[in-house]
Amino acid sequence: MTLTLLPAGGAVVESVCPRRTELVRPPVANAELAVLVQAVRDPPPAPAFLDRLLIQAQAAGLAVVIVWNKADLDPGRAAELEALYRSAGFDTWPASTVTGEGVPGLARAMAGRISVFAGPSGTGKTSLLNAVTEGLTLATRAVSARSRRGRHTTRLTQLLPLPGGGLVADTPGFTSLRLPPLKTGELRDYYPEFAPFAPFCYFRGCRHDREPSCAVKEALASGRIDPGRYERYRLFLAELDQVKEPRLKPGSGKDE
Ligand SMILES: Nc1nc2c(ncn2[C@@H]2O[C@H](COP(=O)(O)OP(=O)(O)OP(=O)(O)O)[C@@H](O)[C@H]2O)c(=O)[nH]1
Ligand SMILES: [Mg+2]
Ligand SMILES: [Zn+2]
Protein backbone atom coordinates (compact mmCIF):
# COMPACT_ATOMS: atom_id res chain seq x y z
CA MET A 1 0.00 0.00 0.00
CA THR A 2 1.28 3.50 -0.78
CA LEU A 3 0.08 6.33 1.41
CA THR A 4 0.35 10.09 0.97
CA LEU A 5 0.27 11.97 4.27
CA LEU A 6 -1.85 15.13 4.17
CA PRO A 7 -0.53 18.34 5.70
CA ALA A 8 -3.73 18.80 7.68
CA GLY A 9 -3.36 15.29 9.13
CA GLY A 10 -4.69 11.98 7.90
CA ALA A 11 -3.58 10.21 4.74
CA VAL A 12 -4.79 9.13 1.32
CA VAL A 13 -4.31 5.62 0.00
CA GLU A 14 -2.70 6.07 -3.42
CA SER A 15 -2.40 2.45 -4.40
CA VAL A 16 -2.83 -1.01 -2.95
CA CYS A 17 -0.09 -3.44 -3.90
CA PRO A 18 -1.04 -6.96 -4.89
CA ARG A 19 -0.92 -9.54 -2.09
CA ARG A 20 1.29 -12.43 -3.01
CA THR A 21 0.94 -14.10 0.38
CA GLU A 22 -1.24 -13.45 3.37
CA LEU A 23 -1.16 -14.85 6.90
CA VAL A 24 -4.12 -14.55 9.23
CA ARG A 25 -1.97 -14.77 12.37
CA PRO A 26 0.31 -12.94 12.61
CA PRO A 27 -1.51 -10.61 10.18
CA VAL A 28 1.26 -10.02 7.64
CA ALA A 29 1.00 -9.76 3.85
CA ASN A 30 3.67 -10.51 1.23
CA ALA A 31 6.10 -12.30 3.53
CA GLU A 32 8.18 -14.96 1.77
CA LEU A 33 9.60 -16.76 4.76
CA ALA A 34 8.01 -17.71 8.08
CA VAL A 35 10.55 -18.08 10.88
CA LEU A 36 8.78 -20.26 13.43
CA VAL A 37 10.44 -19.89 16.80
CA GLN A 38 10.06 -22.41 19.61
CA ALA A 39 12.10 -22.59 22.80
CA VAL A 40 13.46 -25.95 23.95
CA ARG A 41 12.49 -24.82 27.47
CA ASP A 42 10.90 -21.84 29.21
CA PRO A 43 8.35 -21.89 27.65
CA PRO A 44 8.23 -25.59 26.71
CA PRO A 45 7.84 -26.57 23.04
CA ALA A 46 4.26 -26.53 21.77
CA PRO A 47 4.20 -29.10 18.95
CA ALA A 48 0.50 -28.90 18.13
CA PHE A 49 0.74 -25.13 17.81
CA LEU A 50 3.91 -25.47 15.73
CA ASP A 51 2.17 -27.92 13.40
CA ARG A 52 -0.71 -25.46 13.00
CA LEU A 53 1.74 -22.70 12.14
CA LEU A 54 3.46 -24.98 9.63
CA ILE A 55 0.16 -25.75 7.93
CA GLN A 56 -0.88 -22.10 7.83
CA ALA A 57 2.45 -20.88 6.44
CA GLN A 58 2.73 -23.59 3.77
CA ALA A 59 -0.90 -23.19 2.73
CA ALA A 60 -0.26 -19.45 2.31
CA GLY A 61 2.72 -20.20 0.07
CA LEU A 62 5.53 -19.16 2.42
CA ALA A 63 8.82 -20.96 2.85
CA VAL A 64 9.31 -22.04 6.47
CA VAL A 65 12.17 -22.54 8.88
CA ILE A 66 11.84 -23.79 12.44
CA VAL A 67 14.28 -22.45 14.99
CA TRP A 68 14.72 -24.24 18.34
CA ASN A 69 15.87 -21.35 20.47
CA LYS A 70 17.40 -21.43 23.98
CA ALA A 71 19.42 -24.49 22.91
CA ASP A 72 21.92 -23.45 25.61
CA LEU A 73 19.37 -24.54 28.25
CA ASP A 74 19.12 -28.11 26.91
CA PRO A 75 21.34 -28.92 23.92
CA GLY A 76 20.24 -32.58 23.86
CA ARG A 77 16.56 -31.68 23.58
CA ALA A 78 17.35 -29.11 20.89
CA ALA A 79 19.12 -31.79 18.84
CA GLU A 80 16.18 -34.20 19.27
CA LEU A 81 13.61 -31.66 18.16
CA GLU A 82 15.75 -30.61 15.23
CA ALA A 83 16.13 -34.25 14.14
CA LEU A 84 12.38 -34.87 14.44
CA TYR A 85 11.35 -31.94 12.27
CA ARG A 86 14.26 -32.37 9.87
CA SER A 87 13.20 -35.94 9.20
CA ALA A 88 9.67 -34.64 8.62
CA GLY A 89 11.14 -32.60 5.77
CA PHE A 90 11.55 -29.13 7.24
CA ASP A 91 14.48 -26.76 7.34
CA THR A 92 15.28 -26.48 11.05
CA TRP A 93 18.13 -25.89 13.46
CA PRO A 94 18.93 -25.12 17.09
CA ALA A 95 19.74 -21.56 18.08
CA SER A 96 20.78 -19.61 21.11
CA THR A 97 21.17 -15.92 21.63
CA VAL A 98 23.44 -16.82 24.58
CA THR A 99 25.99 -18.92 22.64
CA GLY A 100 25.25 -17.46 19.20
CA GLU A 101 24.54 -20.93 17.77
CA GLY A 102 22.25 -20.85 14.75
CA VAL A 103 22.23 -17.06 14.48
CA PRO A 104 24.41 -16.77 11.33
CA GLY A 105 22.21 -19.39 9.63
CA LEU A 106 19.15 -17.38 10.49
CA ALA A 107 20.73 -14.21 9.11
CA ARG A 108 21.51 -16.06 5.86
CA ALA A 109 17.97 -17.44 5.58
CA MET A 110 16.49 -13.97 6.01
CA ALA A 111 18.89 -12.01 3.81
CA GLY A 112 17.19 -10.21 0.95
CA ARG A 113 13.74 -11.61 1.74
CA ILE A 114 10.63 -10.52 3.57
CA SER A 115 10.40 -12.65 6.70
CA VAL A 116 7.93 -12.90 9.52
CA PHE A 117 8.63 -14.28 12.98
CA ALA A 118 5.94 -16.30 14.72
CA GLY A 119 5.85 -18.23 17.96
CA PRO A 120 4.72 -18.18 21.56
CA SER A 121 5.59 -15.29 23.87
CA GLY A 122 8.95 -15.66 25.58
CA THR A 123 10.56 -18.00 23.05
CA GLY A 124 13.07 -15.29 22.09
CA LYS A 125 11.81 -13.98 18.75
CA THR A 126 12.83 -10.40 19.50
CA SER A 127 16.12 -11.55 21.08
CA LEU A 128 16.96 -13.48 17.89
CA LEU A 129 16.13 -10.48 15.78
CA ASN A 130 18.38 -8.29 17.91
CA ALA A 131 21.10 -10.94 17.53
CA VAL A 132 20.93 -11.05 13.71
CA THR A 133 20.72 -7.27 13.36
CA GLU A 134 23.72 -5.37 14.58
CA GLY A 135 22.74 -2.25 16.50
CA LEU A 136 19.11 -3.30 16.98
CA THR A 137 17.96 -3.27 20.61
CA LEU A 138 14.26 -3.99 20.64
CA ALA A 139 12.82 -4.64 24.09
CA THR A 140 12.87 -8.19 25.43
CA ARG A 141 11.77 -9.43 28.85
CA ALA A 142 12.46 -12.46 31.03
CA VAL A 143 9.79 -15.15 31.17
CA SER A 144 7.77 -15.32 34.38
CA ALA A 145 9.77 -17.12 37.10
CA ARG A 146 6.67 -18.98 38.26
CA SER A 147 4.91 -20.02 35.04
CA ARG A 148 8.01 -20.05 32.78
CA ARG A 149 5.87 -18.36 30.16
CA GLY A 150 6.45 -15.16 28.24
CA ARG A 151 5.03 -11.83 29.28
CA HIS A 152 3.81 -10.55 25.91
CA THR A 153 6.62 -8.07 25.59
CA THR A 154 6.24 -7.30 21.88
CA ARG A 155 2.84 -5.67 21.47
CA LEU A 156 2.83 -4.64 17.83
CA THR A 157 3.82 -6.20 14.54
CA GLN A 158 6.54 -4.06 13.04
CA LEU A 159 8.46 -4.36 9.82
CA LEU A 160 12.19 -3.66 10.12
CA PRO A 161 14.88 -3.38 7.45
CA LEU A 162 17.75 -5.87 7.68
CA PRO A 163 21.31 -4.60 7.28
CA GLY A 164 22.08 -6.98 4.39
CA GLY A 165 18.81 -6.20 2.58
CA GLY A 166 15.40 -7.63 3.22
CA LEU A 167 12.70 -6.90 5.75
CA VAL A 168 11.54 -8.73 8.83
CA ALA A 169 8.36 -8.47 10.86
CA ASP A 170 8.71 -8.98 14.60
CA THR A 171 5.36 -9.98 16.02
CA PRO A 172 3.67 -10.46 19.40
CA GLY A 173 3.72 -14.01 20.73
CA PHE A 174 0.59 -16.13 20.59
CA THR A 175 -0.27 -19.78 21.19
CA SER A 176 -3.56 -20.57 19.56
CA LEU A 177 -4.36 -20.75 15.89
CA ARG A 178 -7.25 -22.02 13.83
CA LEU A 179 -6.47 -24.15 10.84
CA PRO A 180 -6.90 -22.42 7.49
CA PRO A 181 -10.10 -23.37 5.61
CA LEU A 182 -8.72 -26.48 3.89
CA LYS A 183 -10.52 -29.46 2.49
CA THR A 184 -9.62 -32.58 4.47
CA GLY A 185 -8.01 -33.95 1.31
CA GLU A 186 -5.63 -30.99 1.19
CA LEU A 187 -4.18 -31.31 4.68
CA ARG A 188 -1.80 -34.12 3.66
CA ASP A 189 -0.08 -31.73 1.22
CA TYR A 190 1.48 -29.94 4.18
CA TYR A 191 3.07 -33.08 5.58
CA PRO A 192 6.27 -33.52 3.54
CA GLU A 193 7.06 -36.74 5.41
CA PHE A 194 4.01 -38.43 3.82
CA ALA A 195 5.12 -37.70 0.27
CA PRO A 196 7.56 -40.60 -0.25
CA PHE A 197 4.93 -43.15 0.86
CA ALA A 198 1.65 -41.70 -0.45
CA PRO A 199 2.09 -42.99 -4.03
CA PHE A 200 1.98 -46.53 -2.61
CA CYS A 201 -1.38 -46.17 -0.85
CA TYR A 202 -4.11 -48.36 -2.34
CA PHE A 203 -6.54 -45.45 -2.75
CA ARG A 204 -5.31 -42.67 -4.97
CA GLY A 205 -7.06 -40.02 -2.86
CA CYS A 206 -6.00 -41.68 0.41
CA ARG A 207 -6.14 -39.32 3.39
CA HIS A 208 -4.02 -41.72 5.42
CA ASP A 209 -6.77 -41.91 8.01
CA ARG A 210 -9.05 -44.94 8.09
CA GLU A 211 -8.35 -46.22 4.59
CA PRO A 212 -7.06 -49.78 4.23
CA SER A 213 -3.67 -50.54 2.64
CA CYS A 214 -2.30 -47.12 3.49
CA ALA A 215 1.44 -46.83 2.92
CA VAL A 216 1.69 -43.83 5.24
CA LYS A 217 0.21 -45.83 8.12
CA GLU A 218 2.61 -48.66 7.28
CA ALA A 219 5.48 -46.16 7.48
CA LEU A 220 4.11 -45.02 10.83
CA ALA A 221 3.98 -48.61 12.11
CA SER A 222 7.58 -49.21 11.07
CA GLY A 223 8.78 -46.03 12.79
CA ARG A 224 9.51 -44.00 9.67
CA ILE A 225 6.94 -41.32 10.50
CA ASP A 226 6.80 -39.61 13.89
CA PRO A 227 3.74 -40.83 15.85
CA GLY A 228 3.17 -37.41 17.47
CA ARG A 229 3.08 -35.65 14.11
CA TYR A 230 0.72 -38.30 12.73
CA GLU A 231 -1.59 -38.20 15.74
CA ARG A 232 -1.90 -34.43 15.46
CA TYR A 233 -2.55 -34.81 11.72
CA ARG A 234 -5.54 -37.02 12.53
CA LEU A 235 -6.85 -34.57 15.10
CA PHE A 236 -6.57 -31.79 12.52
CA LEU A 237 -8.40 -33.92 9.96
CA ALA A 238 -11.25 -34.42 12.42
CA GLU A 239 -11.26 -30.70 13.15
CA LEU A 240 -11.52 -29.80 9.45
CA ASP A 241 -14.20 -32.42 8.98
CA GLN A 242 -16.24 -30.86 11.74
CA VAL A 243 -15.87 -27.36 10.37
CA LYS A 244 -17.18 -27.96 6.90
CA GLU A 245 -17.25 -31.21 5.07
CA PRO A 246 -19.87 -33.91 5.43
CA ARG A 247 -18.29 -37.34 5.84
CA LEU A 248 -17.76 -39.34 2.66
CA LYS A 249 -20.27 -42.09 2.30
CA PRO A 250 -18.85 -45.62 2.22
CA GLY A 251 -18.42 -47.11 -1.23
CA SER A 252 -17.73 -43.80 -2.90
CA GLY A 253 -15.11 -45.45 -5.06
CA LYS A 254 -11.44 -45.85 -5.53
CA ASP A 255 -10.76 -42.27 -6.50
CA GLU A 256 -12.42 -40.66 -3.50
N1 LIG B 1 18.73 -18.92 27.93
C1 LIG B 1 18.30 -18.24 26.87
N2 LIG B 1 17.42 -17.23 27.04
C2 LIG B 1 17.02 -16.56 25.94
C3 LIG B 1 17.46 -16.89 24.64
N3 LIG B 1 16.85 -16.07 23.74
C4 LIG B 1 16.07 -15.26 24.48
N4 LIG B 1 16.15 -15.54 25.79
C5 LIG B 1 15.46 -14.86 26.90
O1 LIG B 1 14.07 -15.17 26.81
C6 LIG B 1 13.28 -14.06 27.28
C7 LIG B 1 12.21 -13.71 26.28
O2 LIG B 1 12.81 -13.21 25.12
P1 LIG B 1 12.03 -12.27 24.06
O3 LIG B 1 12.99 -12.03 22.95
O4 LIG B 1 11.45 -11.10 24.77
O5 LIG B 1 10.87 -13.25 23.60
P2 LIG B 1 9.74 -12.99 22.49
O6 LIG B 1 9.54 -14.27 21.78
O7 LIG B 1 10.08 -11.82 21.67
O8 LIG B 1 8.46 -12.70 23.41
P3 LIG B 1 7.14 -11.80 23.06
O9 LIG B 1 7.62 -10.47 22.54
O10 LIG B 1 6.43 -11.69 24.37
O11 LIG B 1 6.36 -12.58 22.04
C8 LIG B 1 14.30 -12.93 27.55
O12 LIG B 1 14.60 -12.92 28.93
C9 LIG B 1 15.52 -13.36 26.77
O13 LIG B 1 16.71 -12.87 27.31
C10 LIG B 1 18.39 -17.96 24.50
O14 LIG B 1 18.84 -18.35 23.41
N5 LIG B 1 18.77 -18.60 25.65
MG1 LIG C 1 9.14 -10.03 21.33
ZN1 LIG D 1 -2.57 -43.52 2.75
Side-chain angles (χ1 to χ4, degrees):
M1 192 162 77
T2 319
L3 286 177
T4 301
L5 299 175
L6 301 174
V12 175
V13 175
E14 297 284 353
S15 65
V16 176
C17 303
R19 293 202 160 172
R20 290 180 300 280
T21 68
E22 189 173 353
L23 292 179
V24 176
R25 270 193 103 181
V28 171
N30 293 336
E32 298 162 281
L33 174 71
V35 178
L36 307 181
V37 181
Q38 291 276 320
V40 298
R41 228 181 66 191
D42 305 343
F49 175 57
L50 173 61
D51 289 351
R52 284 175 189 270
L53 284 169
L54 284 166
I55 293 162
Q56 178 192 232
Q58 294 177 96
L62 279 79
V64 292
V65 299
I66 308 162
V67 176
W68 299 100
N69 194 33
K70 308 198 187 185
D72 55 286
L73 298 179
D74 192 342
R77 185 86 182 109
E80 265 169 40
L81 290 161
E82 177 197 19
L84 195 159
Y85 276 84
R86 184 174 299 284
S87 66
F90 296 102
D91 200 6
T92 179
W93 60 87
S96 166
T97 60
V98 173
T99 65
E101 177 184 12
V103 173
L106 186 56
R108 274 196 302 279
M110 291 168 32
R113 300 211 259 186
I114 306 177
S115 308
V116 53
F117 275 63
S121 177
T123 51
K125 298 178 295 300
T126 304
S127 304
L128 282 167
L129 201 49
N130 284 336
V132 297
T133 314
E134 209 178 313
L136 190 67
T137 51
L138 297 173
T140 63
R141 199 155 39 136
V143 298
S144 145
R146 195 144 47 102
S147 73
R148 303 276 168 195
R149 308 233 160 230
R151 292 174 150 142
H152 297 281
T153 306
T154 304
R155 296 281 179 177
L156 290 172
T157 295
Q158 59 173 331
L159 200 58
L160 303 154
L162 289 167
L167 294 165
V168 58
D170 190 19
T171 66
F174 62 106
T175 44
S176 70
L177 182 65
R178 269 202 220 175
L179 294 172
L182 298 169
K183 296 198 172 82
T184 52
E186 291 169 334
L187 188 62
R188 59 184 176 224
D189 298 346
Y190 307 115
Y191 283 74
E193 66 265 57
F194 295 172
F197 307 106
F200 303 100
C201 293
Y202 179 74
F203 291 104
R204 213 191 299 161
C206 187
R207 292 178 195 168
H208 323 307
D209 183 15
R210 300 199 182 112
E211 296 87 345
S213 303
C214 168
V216 167
K217 277 187 288 178
E218 284 159 17
L220 174 75
S222 62
R224 282 173 295 169
I225 285 178
D226 175 63
R229 284 268 299 163
Y230 179 76
E231 185 159 323
R232 295 189 291 276
Y233 167 76
R234 283 199 62 186
L235 291 174
F236 295 155
L237 267 187
E239 193 174 311
L240 290 175
D241 232 353
Q242 234 173 16
V243 181
K244 41 196 298 202
E245 279 184 301
R247 285 205 171 281
L248 279 178
K249 292 189 185 70
S252 55
K254 201 178 161 183
D255 281 329
E256 72 179 26

